[in-house]
Structures are given as C-alpha cells and as structure tokens.
Amino acid sequence: DGGITQSPKYLFRKEGQNVTLSCEQNLNHDAMYWYRQDPGQGLRLIYYSQIVNDFQKGDIAEGYSVSREKKESFPLTVTSAQKNPTAFYLCASSGTGGFRETQYFGPGTRLLVL
Amino acid sequence: QKEVEQNSGPLSVPEGAIASLNCTYSDRGSQSFFWYRQYSGKSPELIMFIYSNGDKEDGRFTAQLNKASQYVSLLIRDSQPSDSATYLCAVIPSGGSYIPTFGRGTSLIVHP
C-alpha cells in the first residue's frame, strides 16, 4: 500500500534536548512538507522540500531543522531553541505538477514536553 | 498575507440534515480548493477538490466554488454522526509555489 508513515506516534522531550521526527513516503512524490498544529489552530508550515537536497523555510521555521537526502524521507528535528514545542506534527507529500496536485498527510506525531 | 477564513463553529446539525460548511479566501488569483476532514486526534484526510466554478458532487458531498465572490463551500447531505469532525479548507494561492494555505477548520457535530 502506498502512503506516508510517521514515527513515533508520541514523543516526549526533555528540556534542552533535540528530538527527531521521522517521515517516510512511498508515493513517489517529489514534494514533502512539515506542519505544526496546535489545539484549535490551523496548520502552520514549518519547512518544505520540492526536490532532494533542497528545502525551504515555511512560516514558523525557527527552532526546527530538516534534511532531504532521499526522495522518500524528510526528517524534522525539533531543537532546544524551540521553546514551545508541544504540538501535533504532520508530514505531507505531493507531486509537483502544478496547482492540481493534492497534499496527502501522514498519521502525525504528538510531541510533549516533560 | 493570503488568508483563508472559516467559521470555527461548532456547527450542530441533526442526523439526516444537510450540513453546509463555508470558506472564504483573500487571493483572487487562487487556483484550486480542497476540503479535508480531520477526526479528533487524527490527521487530515482529503474529501474533495474543485478547480472550476460551479458544483462538484461525490456521493453525499458537494463542493461549490464561486471565484467571483471568493468562497468555496462543502455540503454534506444526509449527515451521519460519523461525519462529526473538523473540516479544513485549503486553497492553492497564485504565485507559483503551489503550497496550500489552510483555514483553521470548522467543527461539525451531527447529533442523533
């Protein structure tokens, strides 16, 4: 089955710790995205990548970092500089054919601070 | 800033009724429009997309687009309790990046 997987489902971070969220897709999509969702809020774009070895900051990139070494993988690191990391993190992917491309989402990772 | 606005709700409808969810957007050049359903604690799943003015039907769902008035709506006929969720509107703006802007979502409650 084609799809997007995210792991872990729940992640706990201690003060001063960096943590990495995994996102893998087998949809052969060129573009991948990371969003953050807070309760009662919409989706806010953290980073996106439209091709391997290239990525762009979204609206709220501070305190986060990404890499795109493989087409299938787009891990997100939440650094200690992110002071309020508790949120639901969603990874998405899409083709890059234009305005008709649809984003599909993984199941999400819920990050909690200890 | 290109904005997408949705009434946060909750919108409460009885089972079997038509639920009408609305979304307005600020970028007149927006090209494509998507509706996602998000159950509590889960990720968004695509329900429908629409590109052209008018109506598009898929089962119990109808998307309506009016580019002149800059709104898109989702109608759910014969609403079921299982339709209770938050519905997110997403709009691909002009400018060539093809990255959607999401509304904050409307919470729908279908009561028996």
Side-chain angles (χ1 to χ4, degrees):
Chain A
D1 284 337
I4 304 172
T5 58
Q6 291 186 243
S7 62
K9 187 174 181 179
Y10 295 96
L11 185 57
F12 298 92
R13 194 190 89 163
K14 297 178 181 178
E15 288 288 337
Q17 187 180 38
N18 293 351
V19 293
T20 298
L21 285 61
S22 170
C23 177
E24 304 274 335
Q25 56 98 2
N26 62 4
L27 299 169
N28 199 33
H29 283 162
D30 286 312
M32 297 185 74
Y33 313 81
W34 275 105
Y35 291 93
R36 168 178 173 148
Q37 188 176 39
D38 294 280
Q41 301 294 313
L43 303 180
R44 293 188 289 169
L45 183 64
I46 305 172
Y47 269 98
Y48 65 98
S49 168
Q50 295 181 314
I51 195 168
V52 174
N53 292 323
D54 187 49
F55 48 83
Q56 307 296 327
K57 292 182 179 180
D59 300 320
I60 56 165
E62 185 174 351
Y64 300 96
S65 66
V66 293
S67 63
R68 186 85 187 276
E69 298 177 0
K70 298 187 300 181
K71 184 176 183 178
E72 301 80 15
S73 178
F74 192 40
L76 173 74
T77 296
V78 183
T79 74
S80 57
Q82 173 49 244
K83 298 306 180 187
N84 184 23
T86 297
F88 189 40
Y89 289 86
L90 289 159
C91 179
S93 71
S94 74
T96 52
F99 70 91
R100 292 175 182 254
E101 294 289 352
T102 301
Q103 280 194 354
Y104 296 94
F105 287 86
T109 292
R110 197 165 297 277
L111 177 60
L112 300 166
V113 176
L114 294 177
Chain B
Q1 184 77 3
K2 296 170 181 175
E3 297 181 343
V4 176
E5 300 288 342
Q6 296 182 256
N7 188 321
S8 62
L11 173 66
S12 182
V13 301
E15 184 174 357
I18 296 175
S20 177
L21 305 162
N22 299 313
C23 172
T24 60
Y25 57 94
S26 62
D27 180 8
R28 183 169 290 276
S30 296
Q31 302 178 78
S32 49
F33 309 85
F34 304 85
W35 283 100
Y36 289 84
R37 176 176 62 200
Q38 185 175 24
Y39 291 114
S40 180
K42 302 296 185 181
S43 64
E45 56 179 324
L46 180 72
I47 299 176
M48 292 192 69
F49 55 84
I50 187 167
Y51 309 130
S52 304
N53 274 331
D55 294 1
K56 179 181 179 183
E57 187 174 317
D58 184 1
R60 295 187 297 114
F61 299 98
T62 299
Q64 299 177 317
L65 176 60
N66 185 324
K67 289 188 176 181
S69 299
Q70 295 175 238
Y71 81 80
V72 55
S73 61
L74 179 70
L75 302 179
I76 307 175
R77 290 182 300 281
D78 188 24
S79 295
Q80 301 297 310
S82 58
D83 295 325
S84 298
T86 296
Y87 290 80
L88 302 174
C89 173
V91 176
I92 301 285
S94 58
S97 73
Y98 306 121
I99 298 172
T101 300
F102 285 84
R104 294 190 173 192
T106 298
S107 174
L108 173 66
I109 299 172
V110 181
H111 54 87

